[in-house]
Amino acid sequence: MRQPRNALFALATTASAASLSDVCTVSHVKNILPSDGTLLGINMLPSAVTASVYNASSSSSSSSSGGMGMGGSSSSYNYCNVTVSYTHPGKDDTVVIKYAFPSPSDFKNRFYVAGGGGYSLNSDATGGLEYGAVSGATDAGYDAFNNDYDSVVLQGNGSVNWDATHMFGYQALGEMTLIGKELSKGFYGLASDDKVYTYYEGCSDGGREGMSQVQRWGEEYDGVITGAPAFRYAQQQVLHIFSSVVEHTLDYYPPPCELAKIVNATIAACDPLDGRTDGVVSRTDLCKLNFNLTSIIGTPYSCAAQTSTSLGFGFSKRNDHKHKRQAAGSETSYQPAQNGTVSAQGVAVAQAIYNGLHTTQGERAYLSWQIASELSDASSTYNSTTGKWELDITSMGGEYVRKFVQLLDLDNLDTLDGVTYDTVVGWMDTAMVRYYDTLQTTHPDLTAFKQSGGKLLHYHGESDPSVPAASSVHYWQSVRAIMYPDESDADMSDFYQFYLIPGAAHCGTNTLQPGPYPQNNMETMIEWVENGTKPSRLNATVSSGDYAGETQMLCQWPTRPLWQNGSDTFSCVRDEKSVQSWTYDFPAFKIPVF
Ligand SMILES: *[C@@H]1O[C@H](CO)[C@@H](O)[C@H](O)[C@H]1NC(C)=O
Ligand SMILES: *[C@@H]1O[C@H](CO)[C@@H](O)[C@H](O)[C@H]1NC(C)=O
Ligand SMILES: *[C@@H]1O[C@H](CO)[C@@H](O)[C@H](O)[C@H]1NC(C)=O
Ligand SMILES: *[C@@H]1O[C@H](CO)[C@@H](O)[C@H](O)[C@H]1NC(C)=O
Ligand SMILES: *[C@@H]1O[C@H](CO)[C@@H](O)[C@H](O)[C@H]1NC(C)=O
Ligand SMILES: *[C@@H]1O[C@H](CO)[C@@H](O)[C@H](O)[C@H]1NC(C)=O
Ligand SMILES: *[C@@H]1O[C@H](CO)[C@@H](O)[C@H](O)[C@H]1NC(C)=O
Ligand SMILES: *[C@@H]1O[C@H](CO)[C@@H](O)[C@H](O)[C@H]1NC(C)=O
Ligand SMILES: *[C@@H]1O[C@H](CO)[C@@H](O)[C@H](O)[C@H]1NC(C)=O
Ligand SMILES: *[C@@H]1O[C@H](CO)[C@@H](O)[C@H](O)[C@H]1NC(C)=O
C-alpha cells in the first residue's frame, strides 16, 4: 500500500485537498529536498530555498511552448514560485533553479522542460502550467539568466570554460529534471514510485538540448519534442561561414535582390512538382532532382531602396536587452534600389551553397540547405563609397570560429583572406573533436530512452535557411543504422518519429512559402505517452495564403507527400530516388559523422 510520504499530505484527506498556499512554503520545500547522496553528485543548499505564491492577474504569463518561434499560450495561472540551489560536491559551485508548481488541484502528475535558443537556455519556468505540469529553468552555474553561454565559454584567450560547456551542453537540464521530479513527488505528496510523466519541448538550440536529454538522460523522459535541432554542433555552427566563403572564393558578392530573385524563381518553378500549385515546395527533393538553377539566368529583378535594421535571423541572438551581445549581431544597413538580371555568377554562388561544403579535392564535408530555402547567410553589404556589394561575414559563424575554434575572445572574423574550403573543413574537424562529448549532440544510440518507454517526436522545416533540414534526416538515418541495422524503419517509429514540414523556415512558418505548421505537438505527445495513441501523421495548419485554415496531416519520414492531381488531398509515398537525394556521407572526415 502506498502512503503519502510527508506529514502535510498525511493530514489532508486527499492530496488535492491541499491548497496552493498550504504547500507553497519555504519549510515545506526544505522538507522535501533530496538529502545528500540521494542524487549522486548533487548536494542541495537548504538555506537558499525561496517559495511564494505567484498570483497571476491578467494574461501576463508567456509560455515558452515549443521554444523559439512559437507563440505559446496567453492564459494565466497561480503557481508556487520556488527557487532552490545546489552544489556539485567538491566544486564549491552554486547552481540556481527556479521551478513553477501548479496548484495541487491543477497538477496532472507531469513535469515539463522547455528548451532555449541560440546560446540561451530557457529562462522561463512557467511553460508547463498549461499542461498541469511542474516546470523549471536553470542558471546552469554561470548565471544563465543573465549571461548567454557564448559570453562565458572562454575564461581567457585559449582557455575553455569546461564547466559552463558541460552545463550548457546537457548537464544543467538533466540535473534540473532529476531534482524537479523528486521535488514534484514531495511537493504533492506522491509516493516515491509514483509516475511523473516527463516532457521536453524545444526548437533550434532547444531542439539540440532536447536531443542531449534523449541521448544522456533517456530514462528520465517520457516524451520529447525536438524541432530543427542545432546539433552536429561543430559542422552546424561553422556552416554559417560557408556562404561567405563561397562568395569570397568565387569573388562575387550578389546584390541581395539577385539572390532573393533566385530563391523566388526556384520556388515558383518547383512549387507544382509536388502535384499542387500552392506557393509551397513540398518536395524539395523533386526540385533538386528536376530543376536546373541555370534556367534562371537572365531573369530580371528589381527591389526598391531600403534602410533596415537586422537582428540576424534564425539561430541568433535573442536577448535584445543585452546591448553588448546585440552589437555583434545587429546592423543598420542601407540598400539602394537594385535593378538587373540574374547573372551566371549569381547562380553559381547559389548552386555552390546548395551543393554544400567539399574539400578542394572534391570530398564532401557537409550537407546544405535544401534548394528553395532562403540564402540568408549569403547576404552582402553595400559600400556607398565604392557603390559595390561586399563581403558580410555572418557573426554567428564568425564568432563561433573565433571563440570555439581559435579560442580568441573576439566577436567575428574580420577577413576571409587565405581561407579556403579546406580551412573551413579544418575548423569543423577541430571543433568536432574538441566538443565531441559536450556540444556535438549526435550520439546515435538511444537504447536507454527507448527501453524505458520514451517517445521522440522530431520535426524540421523543409526550407529552413539556418539549420539544414537534411541535418535532421542524417541523424534519423544514423539512429536507424545503429539501432536497426536491418533497416526496418517501421519498428523505429514505435519510439522515434520524424516529420519534415513543407515550406517551413527555421522553427516557424516561411514568409516566402505559405505552408503548414504544427500547432498542437504537446497534445499529440501526451496522447502517445499517457494513452498509448501512437501518431502516424503530424497535425499541421496552414496559417496564411490561399489555403489558410487548411489542416494537413503531414507525412512521416521517409514517406513524402504527393498531391493528387486536381484535388486538395495528398498521399504519403515512398520514393527511393527522393530519399537518396537526402542521403549523405562525409568522406572529408576520417571518423564517422553521425
Ligand atoms: C494570492 O492570493 C491568495 C488567495 O486569494 C492570498 O491569500 C494571497 O495573499 C495572495 N498573495 C499575494 C502575494 O498576493
Ligand atoms: C520568484 O522568486 C524569486 C526569488 O524570490 C524572485 O526573484 C522572482 O522574482 C520570483 N518570480 C516571480 C514571477 O514572482
Ligand atoms: C585575446 O586575443 C585577441 C586576439 O589576439 C586580443 O585582441 C585580445 O586583446 C585578447 N584578450 C585578452 C584579454 O588578452
Ligand atoms: C520574393 O517574393 C517575396 C514574397 O513573395 C516578395 O516579397 C519579394 O519582393 C520577392 N523578391 C524579389 C526580388 O522578387
Ligand atoms: C544545368 O544546365 C547547365 C546549362 O545547360 C548545364 O551545364 C548543367 O550541367 C546542368 N546541371 C545539371 C545538374 O544538370
Ligand atoms: C529601378 O527600379 C525601380 C523600381 O523598383 C525604378 O523606379 C527605377 O527607375 C529603376 N532604375 C533603373 C536605373 O532602371
Ligand atoms: C568601402 O570601400 C572603401 C574603398 O575600398 C573602403 O576604404 C571602406 O572601408 C569601405 N567601407 C566599408 C564600410 O567597408
Ligand atoms: C489539429 O490541430 C488543430 C489546431 O490545434 C486542432 O484544432 C485540430 O483538432 C487538430 N486535428 C487533429 C486531427 O488532431
Ligand atoms: C485513448 O485511446 C483510446 C483508444 O485506445 C481512445 O478511444 C480514447 O479516445 C483516447 N483518449 C483520449 C483522451 O483521447
Ligand atoms: C492533371 O490533370 C490535368 C487536367 O485535369 C491534366 O491535363 C494533366 O495531365 C494531369 N497531370 C497529371 C500528372 O496527371
Side-chain angles (χ1 to χ4, degrees):
M1 188 181 128
R2 291 208 286 227
Q3 294 283 351
R5 72 170 187 176
N6 69 60
L8 195 144
F9 278 96
L11 291 174
T13 41
T14 65
S16 59
S19 75
L20 186 60
S21 49
D22 289 339
V23 282
C24 190
T25 65
V26 169
S27 63
H28 181 50
V29 175
K30 280 188 178 176
N31 276 338
I32 62 174
L33 290 179
S35 52
D36 292 359
T38 313
L39 300 176
L40 187 64
I42 294 173
N43 288 354
M44 306 305 298
L45 302 171
S47 61
V49 167
T50 72
S52 57
V53 173
Y54 181 81
N55 288 344
S57 44
S58 62
S59 56
S60 58
S61 137
S62 80
S63 144
S64 53
S65 160
M68 59 182 295
M70 295 291 290
S73 134
S74 62
S75 312
S76 59
Y77 305 85
N78 292 343
Y79 62 91
C80 184
N81 173 29
V82 169
T83 56
V84 301
S85 299
Y86 66 98
T87 188
H88 298 102
K91 275 201 177 211
D92 213 21
D93 60 348
T94 304
V95 184
V96 180
I97 308 179
K98 48 186 181 184
Y99 290 105
F101 291 83
S103 291
S105 56
D106 293 336
F107 179 59
K108 294 187 176 145
N109 287 35
R110 292 174 184 153
F111 186 76
Y112 174 91
V113 181
Y119 289 110
S120 310
L121 297 172
N122 165 52
S123 58
D124 175 4
T126 64
L129 295 174
E130 63 179 299
Y131 309 113
V134 178
S135 54
T138 172
D139 91 338
Y142 58 84
D143 193 12
F145 301 141
N146 295 303
N147 294 317
D148 284 350
Y149 161 61
D150 61 332
S151 68
V152 300
V153 61
L154 293 180
Q155 282 161 319
N157 284 341
S159 175
V160 176
N161 183 343
W162 285 112
D163 284 333
T165 299
H166 278 99
M167 290 298 271
F168 177 77
Y170 61 91
Q171 191 181 345
L173 291 181
E175 291 176 345
M176 183 181 83
T177 297
L178 285 178
I179 297 166
K181 291 169 74 169
E182 283 298 297
L183 293 183
S184 299
K185 289 176 187 171
F187 193 85
Y188 299 106
L190 306 182
S192 62
D193 59 351
D194 277 343
K195 180 79 178 167
V196 177
Y197 295 108
T198 302
Y199 297 96
Y200 180 96
E201 184 177 24
C203 200
S204 193
D205 196 70
R208 184 200 64 79
E209 293 158 25
M211 289 300 191
S212 81
Q213 300 305 288
V214 172
Q215 293 164 11
R216 296 282 182 167
W217 311 84
E219 62 285 351
E220 296 299 328
Y221 292 88
D222 298 289
V224 172
I225 302 166
T226 58
F231 59 1
R232 208 169 303 102
Y233 206 73
Q235 282 82 359
Q236 170 58 37
Q237 297 299 74
V238 173
L239 179 67
H240 282 302
I241 212 78
F242 173 57
S243 301
S244 293
V245 175
V246 167
E247 292 172 339
H248 190 252
T249 304
L250 300 182
D251 195 23
Y252 182 66
Y253 303 94
C257 189
E258 183 181 19
L259 281 181
K261 187 69 204 181
I262 291 171
V263 172
N264 283 5
T266 303
I267 292 169
C270 291
D271 172 6
L273 297 177
D274 55 35
R276 186 171 85 167
T277 304
D278 54 4
V280 180
V281 184
S282 298
R283 293 290 298 277
T284 57
D285 40 51
L286 295 179
C287 188
K288 180 176 178 180
L289 294 170
N290 295 298
F291 180 63
N292 190 332
L293 282 171
T294 61
S295 63
I296 303 172
I297 295 169
T299 307
Y301 62 82
S302 165
C303 296
Q306 58 173 325
T307 303
S308 59
T309 303
S310 76
L311 290 171
F313 57 90
F315 188 94
S316 62
K317 318 286 182 222
R318 297 174 69 216
N319 296 315
D320 302 344
H321 58 283
K322 285 165 198 148
H323 301 296
K324 179 181 162 283
R325 305 253 32 85
Q326 185 184 3
S330 93
E331 248 160 46
T332 300
S333 62
Y334 167 72
Q335 297 193 353
Q338 302 162 61
N339 299 324
T341 55
V342 171
S343 65
Q345 288 167 298
V347 164
V349 164
Q351 186 69 65
I353 293 171
Y354 288 137
N355 283 350
L357 176 65
H358 294 71
T359 64
T360 48
Q361 297 302 305
E363 291 176 310
R364 178 174 286 282
Y366 205 44
L367 43 77
S368 188
W369 303 283
Q370 290 301 107
I371 188 169
S373 303
E374 264 189 287
L375 295 163
S376 309
D377 285 347
S379 54
S380 50
T381 189
Y382 185 68
N383 184 327
S384 49
T385 309
T386 60
K388 291 195 169 132
W389 294 92
E390 296 182 342
L391 178 67
D392 182 6
I393 303 174
T394 317
S395 64
M396 251 181 293
E399 184 202 24
Y400 183 81
V401 170
R402 282 304 205 186
K403 290 188 176 169
F404 291 75
V405 179
Q406 299 177 340
L407 305 182
L408 296 175
D409 192 12
L410 298 170
D411 283 337
N412 203 345
L413 293 162
D414 34 35
T415 172
L416 289 179
D417 291 351
V419 171
T420 67
Y421 294 132
D422 291 339
T423 315
V424 179
V425 176
W427 288 337
M428 288 183 177
D429 197 47
T430 296
M432 174 170 63
V433 172
R434 184 175 295 147
Y435 306 102
Y436 200 76
D437 65 336
T438 48
L439 301 173
Q440 190 71 356
T441 327
T442 47
H443 186 63
D445 178 8
L446 307 181
T447 301
F449 177 71
K450 180 193 165 193
Q451 282 185 345
S452 68
K455 312 297 182 203
L456 174 58
L457 183 61
H458 173 189
Y459 65 91
H460 205 130
E462 189 157 332
S463 287
D464 188 325
S466 183
V467 181
S471 165
S472 279
V473 171
H474 187 72
Y475 182 70
W476 182 93
Q477 291 173 329
S478 296
V479 172
R480 194 187 66 172
I482 295 293
M483 294 183 68
Y484 298 86
D486 62 353
E487 304 222 333
S488 59
D489 45 66
D491 291 345
M492 189 153 115
S493 75
D494 286 344
F495 90 101
Y496 177 5
Q497 300 192 356
F498 174 62
Y499 295 88
L500 286 165
I501 318 295
H506 187 59
C507 297
T509 53
N510 183 351
T511 51
L512 300 180
Q513 299 184 49
Y517 207 77
Q519 309 289 346
N520 66 342
N521 288 340
M522 264 301 281
E523 283 168 45
T524 304
M525 183 53 87
I526 287 170
E527 279 290 289
W528 194 4
V529 165
E530 297 182 20
N531 198 31
T533 312
K534 182 175 94 162
S536 59
R537 301 276 197 102
L538 187 65
N539 180 14
T541 309
V542 179
S543 58
S544 66
D546 293 345
Y547 292 90
E550 182 183 72
T551 293
Q552 294 182 15
M553 300 302 290
L554 303 182
C555 299
Q556 191 181 149
W557 180 263
T559 68
R560 303 260 55 214
L562 191 62
W563 292 91
Q564 271 120 47
N565 194 10
S567 82
D568 287 331
T569 57
F570 60 88
S571 31
C572 297
V573 300
R574 282 187 174 261
D575 180 339
E576 209 35 55
K577 213 173 161 199
S578 285
V579 170
Q580 274 309 313
S581 82
W582 289 89
T583 303
Y584 296 94
D585 55 15
F586 306 113
F589 302 103
K590 300 290 173 262
I591 61 169
V593 176
F594 293 116

